[in-house]
Amino acid sequence: MPPQPSDVEEEEIHFSNVITTFRNYAQYSLAANNRRRKDIYRLPLADQQVLEAIGYKKKLDQVDDAIRANAEFLSLIVANPEIFGHEAQYEGEGSGEDTTQRGNERKAESESAAEHSGSSHSHPHSHSHSHSHPSHEHGHTHGRPKKYKPTDFDIDKLRSTLKQFVRDWSEQGREERQACYQPMKDALVKHFSHVPHEQRGSLRVLVPGSGLGRLAYDVASMGKRVFPLHAALIIPHPKSARIFILPLSYNPLGNATDSINKYTLYPYVHSFSNVPSRQAILQPISIPDVLPTALPPGSDFSLVAGDFEEIYGVETDPDEPQAGEWDAILTCFFIDTAKNIVNYLRIIHRILAPGGVWVNLGPLLWHWENNNTNDTSIELDLEEVKVLARSVGFEISNEQTIDTTYTSNSEGMLGYIYHAAFWTATKI
């Protein structure tokens, strides 16, 4: 079924607003840091002098410099919006209507999503694949469309995405990746160990909701050491998520990156809480630790933008049937994004080939729990999830509990440990 004009228009508006959010990062973040300066001058003069003596003002200046460095990096990502497949209309220009008004019909949904999709203060597990909704402000214009004004939620998700770069594409993220991705890759290799090497090139692997794509990239890279694989990455569709993974996955961690550690980020400058030192706030993170373009010759790595249930839940394209087409599905910090976990597992089972493997790792931070938008939210405990998996036709093995963090600042004073559930499930 071809996309409807209204869907195309909504997607174009979304990308335009995403680009606007990227370009407003510096303004918003510098303003937040400047608030700290203003607070200094609300103190008695003696207290101001104490803060001056211990270097607090200098630290604020250094944070400003780090924010500007982040902004320069983010500007590279949206420098050529045509790579996203759209002729983006920046800040609502040329869309023929007020883009600020368009999405504001779902403002309440966005506020609800902020409560359960990984806010830096409420939920440390800030999934890049969280189901959050666009957030806008009401407004009516005549003639020239009103410029889109990013919300605090938009900027918070963008800041969280900077931390995602640490997890997926930096040396500092190696420990988290080793804890999460390595067991999944090992299980994949083990499951297909009986397949002759010359036959492994036809195996297809799907990685839904894999953050900024490192797990999918690692799977596609396994051809160097094990066997060639096809890897696909599902990311949130503009209609169902207000986050920024698509541009980040393409650029600059793509053809524009020609050297390791080409870019330097400062992802921890946005909060001064629970940090032991200035270094913990200002620590530079270099990315990428590998070249995203350095896949083995003949690797088939594809990126699909869309909602998991919309893309794989129905057979809408006769030329792209999904039932039984995937040999393996890897879900990392993913299944708790479901509104209806029954349908998630049913889809995973349906699109797997007979004897195919589903490898899962993650907690159960149900993203839609306690939402105020009247969205469905089925919140099973771990044992119920496993009973459900068996009932839809999986045989579960290799069950483990893996302790891991998620986009954690290793130099911070506060950290959350997830006792993540891991298993290998074979379609029977």
Side-chain angles (χ1 to χ4, degrees):
M1 179 184 299
Q4 299 299 309
S6 59
D7 294 333
V8 174
E9 182 181 17
E10 183 174 355
E11 185 170 310
E12 289 176 347
I13 291 171
H14 165 82
F15 277 101
S16 175
N17 294 344
V18 166
I19 291 169
T20 299
T21 301
F22 271 67
R23 292 179 170 177
N24 278 271
Y25 162 82
Q27 175 185 338
Y28 277 62
S29 299
L30 289 171
N33 196 44
N34 198 46
R35 187 272 307 163
R36 298 185 177 100
R37 288 191 180 86
K38 293 179 180 179
D39 287 348
I40 295 175
Y41 296 104
R42 299 173 66 183
L43 302 178
L45 180 59
D47 293 354
Q48 295 180 36
Q49 292 171 342
V50 170
L51 293 177
E52 176 78 30
I54 66 176
Y56 184 67
K57 286 185 177 180
K58 180 179 180 181
K59 181 171 71 174
L60 297 183
D61 292 341
Q62 291 173 317
V63 168
D64 278 349
D65 291 340
I67 288 171
R68 294 187 183 98
N70 288 342
E72 183 176 353
F73 169 74
L74 294 174
S75 70
L76 293 175
I77 295 173
V78 296
N80 298 298
E82 63 272 12
I83 68 173
F84 308 143
H86 300 271
E87 294 181 2
Q89 305 290 338
Y90 304 141
E91 302 179 330
E93 295 179 4
S95 66
E97 67 175 326
D98 184 356
T99 63
T100 301
Q101 178 186 355
R102 276 278 297 190
N104 217 349
E105 299 165 356
R106 296 191 298 274
K107 179 175 174 60
E109 297 180 13
S110 175
E111 292 170 346
S112 171
E115 296 175 359
H116 63 257
S117 68
S119 169
S120 60
H121 295 291
S122 60
H123 290 293
H125 171 174
S126 176
H127 284 293
S128 62
H129 50 265
S130 60
H131 289 266
S132 52
H133 293 267
S135 170
H136 306 264
E137 297 178 353
H138 281 291
H140 298 273
T141 60
H142 300 280
R144 182 182 178 86
K146 183 179 179 181
K147 291 182 178 180
Y148 176 70
K149 181 180 180 181
T151 66
D152 290 341
F153 182 65
D154 292 335
I155 299 297
D156 184 63
K157 295 304 294 183
L158 181 52
R159 292 167 179 168
S160 296
T161 302
L162 291 173
K163 297 178 183 178
Q164 285 280 342
F165 272 112
V166 182
R167 174 179 171 87
D168 268 9
W169 294 101
S170 77
E171 180 62 31
Q172 289 86 343
R174 178 186 295 273
E175 183 176 351
E176 281 192 8
R177 294 196 302 273
Q178 188 72 15
C180 295
Y181 300 166
Q182 193 59 50
M184 304 185 77
K185 294 185 289 183
D186 291 344
L188 182 66
V189 173
K190 182 178 180 180
H191 184 80
F192 293 109
S193 61
H194 66 285
V195 178
H197 189 278
E198 62 273 12
Q199 297 179 18
R200 295 177 183 176
S202 61
L203 297 173
R204 304 183 72 207
V205 181
L206 177 66
V207 186
S210 70
L212 294 187
R214 182 58 179 267
L215 176 57
Y217 170 87
D218 284 354
V219 170
S221 299
M222 289 168 68
K224 297 177 181 178
R225 304 180 302 277
V226 187
F227 50 85
L229 291 168
H230 298 268
L233 168 66
I234 294 297
I235 63 171
H237 191 276
K239 291 167 62 178
S240 62
R242 181 93 191 127
I243 58 177
F244 314 107
I245 302 306
L246 181 59
L248 296 177
S249 297
Y250 274 118
N251 179 36
L253 294 186
N255 293 332
T257 303
D258 54 13
S259 62
I260 291 175
N261 293 333
K262 182 174 182 178
Y263 307 101
T264 300
L265 313 178
Y266 300 88
Y268 305 116
V269 296
H270 309 109
S271 173
F272 285 14
S273 298
N274 288 310
V275 287
S277 67
R278 184 174 308 187
Q279 167 59 28
I281 295 174
L282 293 167
Q283 59 177 305
I285 304 295
S286 296
I287 62 170
D289 63 320
V290 296
L291 282 179
T293 54
L295 291 171
S299 297
D300 186 353
F301 181 94
S302 59
L303 175 69
V304 180
D307 179 87
F308 178 68
E309 291 178 282
E310 291 181 6
I311 298 297
Y312 293 96
V314 293
E315 295 290 351
T316 57
D317 188 344
D319 296 325
E320 290 289 340
Q322 298 296 334
E325 288 298 306
W326 297 93
D327 299 286
I329 298 176
L330 310 184
T331 54
C332 185
F333 279 69
F334 175 70
I335 64 172
D336 55 0
T337 66
K339 294 181 181 179
N340 178 5
I341 185 62
V342 179
N343 196 42
Y344 258 37
L345 299 199
R346 184 187 295 121
I347 293 171
I348 291 172
H349 185 271
R350 182 179 63 84
I351 66 179
L352 274 174
V357 64
W358 167 36
V359 183
N360 177 72
L361 184 146
L364 294 177
L365 179 63
W366 297 108
H367 283 205
W368 293 93
E369 185 175 15
N370 299 323
N371 73 81
N372 59 13
T373 56
N374 202 33
D375 283 285
T376 300
S377 180
I378 304 301
E379 300 138 11
L380 303 186
D381 60 45
L382 179 57
E383 286 304 316
E384 289 171 332
V385 170
K386 290 189 286 188
V387 170
L388 173 62
R390 294 184 179 101
S391 72
V392 301
F394 284 108
E395 180 180 345
I396 298 177
S397 60
N398 192 23
E399 295 183 58
Q400 303 176 44
T401 298
I402 295 177
D403 290 346
T404 182
T405 57
Y406 194 92
T407 64
S408 175
N409 181 354
S410 61
E411 296 188 17
M413 297 170 65
L414 176 67
Y416 292 87
I417 302 294
Y418 290 95
H419 306 303
F422 174 86
W423 63 72
T424 299
T426 303
K427 178 176 179 176
I428 56 176

